[in-house]
Structure formats: structure tokens, C-alpha cells
Amino acid sequence: MSESNKDILVRLRGVRKHFEVKGDMGRKSGVVKAVDGVDLDIYKGETLGLVGESGCGKSTLGRCILRLEHPEAGEVLYKDTNVLTLSRKAMIPMRSKMQIIFQDPYSSLNPRQTIGQIIGEGLTIHNIGQKSGRMNTVRSLMDKVGLRPDQIMRYPHEFSGGQRQRIGVARALALNPELIICDEPVSALDVSIQAQVINLLMDLQEEYKLTYLFVSHDLSVVKHISDRVAVMYLGRIVELADKNALYENPSHPYTQVLLKAAPVAEVGSKPKREGLSGELPSPLNPPAGCHFHTRCDRATDKCRKQTPALTDLGGGHMVRCFLHSDKVAEDLD
């Protein structure tokens, strides 16, 4: 199916989220440009992977979609409704359609509530069903995610990390959402448990026709679960493509080095890995022009002075790099 024939569930246009940094005496000392003008489409029924180094703005972008953070510029369109313009009252029914699975499966759960109360809280807030019916729904959800329904009166500390994340998944499913933001949902889990949770998410997606934005720094996990992958660097999307195209033919220098630096399991040998040169620049003072030019061995004066736009290489493969935009322009001439 071509990109133009897919239904767009969420459309981001020019989304910016900056955070003020306070210095002495509470005075403003700078601005962290966590999300710096992002355009992105999420198609209905897909899993869009979002990858990048820690601090690049991945989680903040996901929270902006849910309006847990409020961008100061841009649009977040959910089925053509700009959620950033809705009143708090109008956002209540919208929140049932968009849910989140948090990174930390312990701190995201209220230790004073039972599992039944945690999973069923959304049903109570949105006044869905009667009390007895809600508990039946909770038990059904617990069974669906691999928890025993007879554990409904237990508290979070009585469960393992993997079980707690299953509780988070059940909570996200309770309101029958269309979109779930998966904010590094397996990064705090053991590798064996990671595989179980990932497979659970994939099974639930097929059963409930869910759409995922899957935020992670683990490239192997993203490749396994995603349909398309967006690569983020210092608040900007630098590459976006179908997962096979991106992993087999990465076009942005940052994506290329990320993939080379990813650990690869090889029996009987120690694979040689390339790392990124230099430190990630501070989002308080990002480099001018292309943000990646300070770590790129192919940077030119143009990269240091001008900001490249996303260029379509064909087939929905987008890249933010003058190496490609200049070549495309030459081919058109």
C-alpha cells in the first residue's frame, strides 16, 4: 500500500517544546530545545519506532502528543482535531483514545492502590459501566496480559518487574484506545522478560487493532516490533523510513553510525563496533546549521551554517542531510 493510501491517525506539524532553565535567584539562564520543529505522521494500525540517544527528545515528543507536555508551537492533529487547542473538559474523552505505557513499571504505579484499582481507575474516571462490571473488565484484562485474575487485590510491590509492566499494559488497554505511546516499555526489564512483553504488545496490537509509537534506544527491539522507524537527534527528526529500508540502507550519517554501534550477538567472535565521535552537544546550546555537524566526518561549511530540510529519497524514505538534498536537486536539474 502506498503512503498516500494509508489512514493518518496522528499528524504532527512544526511541534516545538522548549524548557526554561533557571539559574541563580530563579532567573532564566537558558532554554532546552527538547523538541525543535518536528513534522511526523503516524498511520493507523502501524508501529512507528522512534530512536535516538538519551536526551534527544524522544519521550518529550511522545508526551506532547498526549498533551502531558504542552508545546509552545505547532499542531498535534488526532484525526484532524488539534488536541493542543482543546479545553481541559474537551480533552477528557480524547484521553480515552490515547494512552501511554511508561518506562518504569514501578514508579508509574500507585503503591497505595491495588492492581484492580490501578487498572480500573480509567473506567471509574470516565464513568464506564457499573462497579461490578468494571471489576469483571479488570479481571478480563489481567487474564489478557498474562496475570492471574485472583491477584486483583494485591499491591504493586508484590509483583516482579515484568508483571508490573503487564499491569501497565492492562491499564493502557482498559479504555479501548486507538493509540498507545510505548515510552521505552522494556528498557528496565531483563532481556528474557523483554521478549515476552514485546510479543505481548504485538499480539495485543493485532487483536485490538492498535497503533503504537514505540520509543526506544534499543535498535534490535525497534527493528523487531516496528513497521517504520524515525531517527531523532537533538530535537529533530533526521531520518524516517520503512524499517527494512532504514536498516539495510541508512542514509543519514547519524543513523549509519548508530547502526554500526549497535551490539550484535556473534558466537565465537567479538564484533568490531564503531562509536560516535565526540559528546552529544547540549540541547541548551545546540550547534548552528545541521545539529550533527560537530560529530560528522563529512560536514561542510554549508552544514555548519544552514539547516537542511527533510528530503524525500523516494518510497517515503526521508532524510535531513545536504549530502542527499543537494544530490536530489542536481538530479532534478
Side-chain angles (χ1 to χ4, degrees):
M1 184 185 294
S2 67
E3 303 293 317
S4 59
N5 291 332
K6 294 181 181 179
D7 293 332
I8 298 175
L9 184 65
V10 177
R11 182 184 289 112
L12 309 182
R13 292 294 179 266
V15 175
R16 298 180 187 276
K17 179 59 187 175
H18 299 170
F19 296 96
E20 287 189 6
V21 177
K22 302 291 185 181
D24 295 337
M25 306 297 291
R27 295 190 182 95
K28 178 180 174 181
S29 62
V31 174
V32 173
K33 297 180 178 180
V35 178
D36 195 22
V38 168
D39 295 340
L40 192 63
D41 293 335
I42 304 175
Y43 298 118
K44 187 172 182 179
E46 79 164 342
T47 296
L48 175 62
L50 184 61
V51 301
E53 292 171 279
S54 297
C56 72
K58 307 185 301 292
S59 295
T60 301
L61 183 62
R63 293 173 68 87
C64 286
I65 294 173
L66 300 174
R67 221 175 83 172
L68 297 178
E69 301 287 354
H70 201 295
E72 52 272 305
E75 294 180 327
V76 177
L77 300 168
Y78 180 89
K79 292 184 175 178
D80 297 324
T81 298
N82 187 358
V83 301
L84 303 183
T85 63
L86 297 179
S87 65
R88 292 187 64 172
K89 184 177 181 180
M91 269 301 296
I92 293 175
M94 186 64 70
R95 292 198 182 283
S96 68
K97 301 172 184 177
M98 302 186 292
Q99 291 291 298
I100 185 170
I101 301 170
F102 293 98
Q103 178 178 1
D104 188 335
Y106 188 70
S107 64
S108 64
L109 304 178
N110 188 336
R112 297 186 177 184
Q113 288 185 324
T114 65
I115 301 314
Q117 291 171 326
I118 290 171
I119 298 174
E121 187 173 21
L123 300 172
T124 303
I125 292 172
H126 289 267
N127 198 27
I128 298 174
Q130 301 298 318
K131 187 174 182 180
S132 59
R134 290 170 191 159
M135 288 300 100
N136 289 334
T137 300
V138 170
R139 290 188 181 93
S140 176
L141 286 168
M142 291 178 68
D143 181 64
K144 189 71 68 176
V145 301
L147 296 169
R148 296 204 320 269
D150 61 11
Q151 297 173 317
I152 194 168
M153 297 305 294
R154 294 189 180 183
Y155 290 85
H157 72 272
E158 300 179 73
F159 294 86
S160 67
Q163 288 174 320
R164 287 195 286 260
Q165 196 58 292
R166 290 173 186 269
I167 295 165
V169 173
R171 176 175 59 184
L173 283 176
L175 295 175
N176 195 26
E178 291 183 283
L179 172 71
I180 296 181
I181 307 294
C182 304
D183 186 10
E184 304 216 32
V186 297
S187 64
L189 306 178
D190 293 339
V191 174
S192 60
I193 305 301
Q194 285 183 14
Q196 294 176 20
V197 174
I198 290 296
N199 289 332
L200 172 65
L201 290 172
M202 295 175 72
D203 291 341
L204 292 172
Q205 181 178 36
E206 183 175 352
E207 181 175 351
Y208 289 93
K209 311 303 180 188
L210 297 167
T211 302
Y212 292 148
L213 175 66
F214 193 90
V215 177
S216 180
H217 62 271
D218 190 325
L219 291 166
S220 61
V221 170
V222 169
K223 183 178 182 180
H224 181 67
I225 195 173
S226 300
D227 299 299
R228 293 187 302 143
V229 180
V231 181
M232 199 167 183
Y233 185 79
L234 279 182
R236 296 175 180 170
I237 302 297
V238 296
E239 188 162 3
L240 171 66
D242 171 87
K243 74 170 178 183
N244 292 328
L246 186 130
Y247 280 83
E248 293 170 10
N249 185 31
S251 297
H252 196 281
Y254 177 60
T255 310
Q256 293 169 0
V257 179
L258 269 187
L259 292 175
K260 288 178 182 177
V264 178
E266 291 186 7
V267 177
S269 65
K270 293 183 178 179
K272 202 172 181 180
R273 293 193 286 135
E274 255 181 71
L276 283 164
S277 61
E279 294 293 326
L280 180 70
S282 170
L284 266 171
N285 186 29
C290 173
H291 286 347
F292 188 62
H293 81 257
T294 58
R295 306 168 78 185
C296 180
D297 57 7
R298 286 172 278 179
T300 65
D301 285 341
K302 186 176 183 179
C303 303
R304 300 179 184 96
K305 297 174 182 176
Q306 299 179 34
T307 301
L310 278 171
T311 300
D312 191 345
L313 304 183
H317 193 153
M318 311 291 290
V319 62
R320 188 185 297 275
C321 180
F322 285 125
L323 290 172
H324 298 281
S325 60
D326 289 349
K327 185 177 185 303
V328 169
E330 288 175 8
D331 292 343
L332 290 175
D333 290 343

